[in-house]
Amino acid sequence: MRWGLCSAGLIANDFCNALHCLNPSEHKITAVVSKSLEKAKKLADEFKIPNVYTSYEEFAKDPNIDLVYLSTANSFHHPLSILMLNNGKPVLCEKTCACNTKQTQEMIELAKSKKLFFMEALWSNFFPAYKALREIIDSGTIGKIRYVDAAHFYDLFSRDFVSQKSLGGGGLLCTAVYVIWLARFVFKQDPETITAVGTIADTGVDQSGNIILTYKDGARASLSYSVAVNGRRDAYIYGTKGKIYIHPPFWSASKIEVNGEEREFPPPKSDAKYNYPNSAGLAYEAEDVRLCFEKGQLECPAHTHSDTLSIIKVIDEVRRQLEETHQKN
C-alpha cells in the first residue's frame, strides 16, 4: 500500500508514526502535500517521504499513490476528497467525513460511481477493544442493551480548527462525532428521535451539548460533549444482564470492564512521540484498510457508508436544534 498524505498536520504525524508499527513491506508513504511547504518538507524529512507537493492537483495526479489519507481541517474534507476521487484516487478521509449530510452523500456517491474505495477514518472501530465489544454485545453477555452513557469533554477551543466556522470547527464535528458513533456502534440502527440542548460560541460554532437519542424499542443513548472544558472521557453500556464500562479515552480504548471483569488490550508498541492519546492505534485502521483494498472492497464492513451517513444525519439535526434555540435566545 503506497500512501499519499493529504496534509502535514498533527494527526498526519501520528499516522506516519503508527505505520511504523506495521510491516514496512506492506505500508509505504510515497508523497505528502500541504499548502505549507515548510510543514510538508519537515514531515518528509522525518519519515523519508520521497515526493513533496504544495499543489493538491499535482498530488492527486501522482501515479505512485495507491490511497490517500486525508487529514486536513474539516472544511476541506469535501472539496479535496472530490478532487482525489475525480483523479482516480481511493480515499481514507478523517472524521468527521464532511461538514453536512449533503457533502457526505456527494463524496460517497462519487466514490461508488468511480468504483473507488472510500471510508471515513473513524479509527475507533478497529481497536481490539471494540472488536471484543462487538462480540460481547452480539453474544448477549450483558443481555439486551437498554442504555448508553458516553461523554467527551476536551478543552480544545483555543485551536483554530475547533473554534473557527470557516475551518469546519465546533464540538459536533471535532469531538462529539465519537459519542454519536458509539451509539451507532452499539445499537446498529438510526435513532427514532433526537433531542439536543447546548451552547453556541461567539465564533458561531457549537461549543457543548447534551444529546438524547431514543430507539424504536425504547432504548436510549445519553451523550455529552464540550470543547471548552476538560472532564469525563469514558462510556457505559447497560444491558438487561449487566454493564460494560469503557475506560478513558473511550474512543481509543485499551481497557474495558464487563460485569466488573477487567480486560486489557495494550496498544501497539511504539517509542514514537504522538500528539494524541493512543495514536499508535491508527495502525489498526491502516492495516484493515490495506486488507479491504487488497480484497477489492469499495467500503469497509467495520465502518460502512451507511454508518457514516447515519452519524452525519444526527450531527446535522443536533446542530439544527442548537442553532434554533440560540437564535430564539
Side-chain angles (χ1 to χ4, degrees), residues 279-298:
S279 276
L282 287 164
Y284 300 129
E285 176 184 61
E287 179 60 8
D288 265 49
V289 167
R290 185 189 70 80
L291 292 172
C292 287
F293 199 73
E294 199 173 71
K295 295 172 187 173
Q297 295 173 312
L298 300 185

Side-chain angles (χ1 to χ4, degrees), residues 151-205:
H152 194 313
F153 294 92
Y154 207 146
D155 186 1
L156 296 166
F157 208 70
S158 60
R159 303 185 187 186
D160 286 347
F161 73 88
V162 177
S163 62
Q164 300 305 308
K165 199 167 189 176
S166 62
L167 296 177
L172 279 165
L173 294 177
C174 295
T175 61
V177 58
Y178 284 122
V179 293
I180 295 167
W181 160 78
L182 182 63
R184 171 71 179 183
F185 175 88
V186 171
F187 291 113
K188 295 196 291 187
Q189 60 180 293
D190 293 335
E192 281 204 329
T193 65
I194 301 167
T195 307
V197 293
T199 304
I200 303 290
D202 292 339
T203 59
V205 301

